[in-house]
Amino acid sequence: EVRRIVRYLDAAGLRRRTVLIVSADHGESLGENDWYFEHNKPYETVIRVPLIFQGYGIRPSRPIPALVSLLDLAPTILDILDLPVPESFEGRSILPLVEGRAKEIRTYAYGGDPWSQDYIRTQSHKLLVIRPTDENLKHFGLERKRRGIPHFFARMFRWGAADAEPEAVEVARLHNLAVDPGETVDLSHADPELAAHLRSLRDHHIRGCEHKG
């Protein structure tokens, strides 16, 4: 499909003034971490996607190891077009990386679903936070000692009864992606200071998003 687009641009004489950006919204788990045909879990097989720039003003092909997010695409496109980036955007332009003017644009990336599983990721580590949903309880072997309505319904309808709150609490898992790209070894107990730091960073990011509305 990309080839068809490129051929059309060539035929229309638009190639020399067009920037192509190729990416994807998610990857796919094909058995990794015991998830099969899943694309809504915040593991590397799902959240790492291709991001390719090609076209006018783009330097020759080279890999860029910097940490970026799909949130950075919109600011990048606006930057390429010399248009202002709204302050409400969370993303940052990737253009300084593409042009070789910067080595990084962000120190961490956040993603996932805070109601189920979410993560905070740096260049080398990831903290995965797992909520006690029914699916997670079964998959990760977590325990719920008291039965009650799901936590998100309790919050949605503001029911304050004690029985509405499950006893199971969210679990955090720390992974060193540099030596454990498959995310199989939990280091949260071996390095509690780093886990606490990333947890604080994650909580601060969520509060910032809630403040923006």
Side-chain angles (χ1 to χ4, degrees), residues 2-212:
V2 175
R3 180 179 297 179
R4 290 176 58 190
I5 295 174
V6 171
R7 285 176 174 173
Y8 169 79
L9 293 172
D10 284 336
L14 299 174
R15 181 79 176 275
R16 291 180 60 84
R17 56 192 183 96
T18 300
V19 174
L20 289 174
I21 303 175
V22 180
S23 189
D25 57 344
H26 59 75
E28 193 79 21
S29 288
L30 301 176
E32 300 87 355
N33 304 103
D34 292 328
W35 292 106
Y36 295 86
F37 302 104
E38 282 281 354
H39 54 254
N40 63 348
K41 309 303 179 192
Y43 291 101
E44 294 296 286
T45 51
V46 173
I47 68 173
R48 293 196 66 172
V49 296
L51 180 56
I52 303 171
F53 287 78
Q54 191 277 333
Y56 179 77
I58 305 300
R59 294 178 61 182
S61 178
R62 62 191 177 89
I64 300 176
L67 187 66
V68 297
S69 166
L70 290 179
L71 292 174
D72 300 324
L73 285 183
T76 302
I77 294 171
L78 292 175
D79 196 8
I80 291 174
L81 298 174
D82 290 325
L83 295 175
V85 178
E87 293 184 1
S88 60
F89 277 23
E90 289 184 43
R92 304 162 189 177
S93 174
I94 300 172
L95 204 55
L97 296 174
V98 175
E99 295 178 343
R101 295 184 284 110
K103 293 185 177 181
E104 68 175 26
I105 60 170
R106 56 170 66 242
T107 57
Y108 74 88
Y110 170 83
D113 176 7
W115 292 104
S116 177
Q117 298 179 49
D118 64 333
Y119 67 90
I120 194 84
R121 189 196 193 283
T122 66
Q123 189 70 264
S124 60
H125 289 78
K126 179 199 285 184
L127 184 74
L128 177 64
V129 180
I130 305 162
R131 295 283 299 159
T133 64
D134 289 340
E135 181 181 38
N136 290 341
L137 289 168
K138 179 180 179 180
H139 184 82
F140 293 100
L142 307 180
E143 294 183 358
R144 190 197 302 272
K145 296 181 180 179
R146 181 174 64 238
R147 303 184 66 179
I149 63 172
H151 179 62
F152 59 91
F153 281 127
R155 291 191 59 182
M156 184 183 300
F157 296 106
R158 301 182 183 277
W159 293 340
D163 286 343
E165 283 289 326
E167 282 190 358
V169 295
E170 60 189 22
V171 173
R173 295 190 174 187
L174 176 66
H175 300 288
N176 184 338
L177 301 175
V179 299
D180 179 31
E183 299 169 273
T184 59
V185 180
D186 177 20
L187 301 176
S188 58
H189 296 293
D191 197 344
E193 291 187 4
L194 179 57
H197 168 70
L198 293 179
R199 181 60 177 266
S200 176
L201 193 62
R202 172 232 184 215
D203 294 345
H204 177 76
H205 180 88
I206 292 176
R207 287 194 298 270
C209 293
E210 292 175 345
H211 179 70
K212 289 183 178 179

